[in-house]
Amino acid sequence: MPETPEQTWTIKQLLDWTTDFFSKSTMGNARLEAEVLLAEALACQRIELYTRFDEQPDPQRLTEFRAWVKRRAAGEPVAYLAGHREFYSLRFHVDPNVLIPRPETEHLVVAAVEFAKSLKCDPIRIIDVGTGSGCIAVTLATLIVNCKIAATDISQPALEIAKGNAAHHEVESKIHFFTGDLLQALPQGSSPVHLIVSNPPYIGKLELSTVDDQVKNHEPDIALFSGDHGTEIIERLINEAAQLLLPGGALMFETSPIIMDRCVALVENNQAYCDVRVIKDYSDLDRIVVATRNNN
Ligand SMILES: C[S@@+](CC[C@H](N)C(=O)[O-])C[C@H]1O[C@@H](n2cnc3c(N)ncnc32)[C@H](O)[C@@H]1O
């Protein structure tokens, strides 16, 4: 947006100019991104922008907005600039230490809640492996009344963000956080659980050239990549989860359609599991693997 001293900008003009600019310079939803950043700069809700179209923001807020628009055009994700992203209609604080929650992960939450409803136990014990922002664990804690969740992550900065999100949504008493590698992060002798959920890293380093620049330049490598082929962490997760699931318990994890066949084969070839099925995402792509822990 031109910075000529004599030019004044109304909220409507700022939105229109920025939408046009983003539609030429970024890959996202230009209007939505302009609204999110302007609402954040003005410390108001997006909807309020529409009732304040003729207002002229004060210069300090305009300067902040301008800086964000430049950074967005240079590739920084809007969620990191604004400091939050909505997941399952809840607001999650995010920063570059955590993956930005994705809509496809909501399918994992839906499947987990359905499974929890089918159980007659109290409390329902759940583990979320690689919790990141805590979007899965926190959402489940808000939706399942009688649950106790253990959330793990290898990244301590990520766990701090997840703890903050749990507190923000007032479910911190239902979630315990543990730093460390997959399920080894849990204390020795932890009780077996009814459900293990995970959105683990699943991009293979060999696929690096196919990954969007905005993702690979800004989101944490540790949240994205898993060995050369993307299956390394998932394979370990499948094996470790078998040790901690109760008979009849469920393992549910997100993965990429590209490696779905290999992930399904890994679960099917493990004698500990049965009833393996795949759930599609909003784009009709295979996205979530669900398996039941055998009775033996
Ligand atoms: C794809 S992100 C998912 C984050 C969040 N659950 C979500 O759905 O947005 C994967 C997360 O797993 C964590 N992670 C990576 N390797 C791990 C490991 N070996 N053990 C535990 N967590 C790990 C990363 O730090 C990251 O937070």
Side-chain angles (χ1 to χ4, degrees):
M1 147 201 350
E3 285 184 61
T4 47
E6 66 279 10
Q7 166 101 44
T8 56
W9 291 86
T10 65
I11 285 179
K12 179 170 185 331
Q13 287 168 328
L14 286 168
L15 279 179
D16 290 346
W17 189 94
T18 309
T19 302
D20 183 53
F21 180 60
F22 281 168
S23 63
K24 293 172 190 146
S25 57
T26 72
M27 297 291 286
N29 178 330
R31 182 72 182 189
L32 178 65
E33 294 192 345
E35 288 178 9
V36 169
L37 290 182
L38 188 54
E40 196 60 32
L42 301 182
C44 71
Q45 301 290 317
R46 258 173 63 214
I47 189 79
E48 287 174 49
L49 298 173
Y50 284 83
T51 61
R52 297 168 56 184
F53 260 3
D54 298 327
E55 218 177 274
Q56 293 176 7
D58 72 56
Q60 197 185 332
R61 291 186 185 270
L62 196 54
T63 303
E64 184 167 37
F65 178 63
R66 264 201 189 95
W68 282 345
V69 169
K70 277 189 197 148
R71 287 168 63 184
R72 173 66 195 125
E76 275 188 65
V78 165
Y80 290 152
L81 294 169
H84 57 84
R85 170 55 52 92
E86 196 166 296
F87 177 82
Y88 216 96
S89 300
L90 298 174
R91 179 182 275 217
F92 285 86
H93 170 59
V94 292
D95 77 8
N97 288 301
V98 296
L99 189 91
I100 299 165
R102 304 293 205 272
E104 48 268 33
T105 308
E106 293 176 351
H107 294 281
L108 183 58
V109 170
V110 172
V113 171
E114 262 173 34
F115 178 74
K117 276 190 201 152
S118 74
L119 299 175
K120 300 274 172 291
C121 33
D122 189 0
I124 295 169
R125 290 197 301 278
I126 302 172
I127 305 172
D128 174 23
V129 182
T131 199
S133 63
C135 60
I136 300 172
V138 170
T139 307
L140 291 180
T142 66
L143 296 172
I144 305 170
V145 180
N146 54 335
C147 69
K148 283 276 171 222
I149 302 179
T152 79
D153 206 292
I154 204 158
S155 157
Q156 184 61 36
L159 275 186
E160 295 307 321
I161 301 278
K163 283 179 195 168
N165 282 320
H168 177 73
H169 292 293
E170 298 179 355
V171 290
E172 68 269 47
S173 63
K174 295 169 86 173
I175 309 177
H176 286 94
F177 295 91
F178 301 96
T179 319
D181 184 30
L182 300 183
L183 290 157
Q184 289 160 38
L186 300 172
Q188 282 227 321
S190 291
S191 301
V193 299
H194 304 95
L195 174 60
I196 296 179
V197 290
S198 183
N199 175 17
Y202 55 69
I203 302 174
K205 296 218 175 79
L206 298 178
E207 285 174 64
L208 189 61
S209 61
T210 66
V211 182
D212 190 79
D213 276 350
Q214 180 183 309
V215 174
K216 71 180 166 211
N217 293 342
H218 296 281
E219 299 197 64
D221 281 1
I222 193 130
L224 300 173
F225 298 108
S226 169
D228 282 347
H229 302 284
T231 47
E232 189 187 85
I233 288 180
I234 286 174
E235 187 166 3
R236 288 201 292 124
L237 172 69
I238 292 167
N239 292 331
E240 289 184 24
Q243 310 303 315
L244 263 177
L245 276 172
L246 288 160
L251 168 65
M252 302 182 179
F253 62 88
E254 178 176 326
T255 189
S256 146
I258 300 169
I259 57 166
M260 180 55 85
D261 288 350
R262 275 178 284 152
C263 291
V264 169
L266 285 170
V267 188
E268 284 180 338
N269 291 336
N270 187 317
Q271 304 290 308
Y273 298 99
C274 60
D275 300 333
V276 182
R277 66 188 171 95
V278 171
I279 298 171
K280 289 185 182 295
D281 65 18
Y282 298 114
S283 309
D284 210 29
L285 298 170
D286 288 345
R287 186 60 68 181
I288 311 289
V289 180
V290 178
T292 305
R293 178 70 172 93
N294 269 326
N295 287 328
N296 50 33

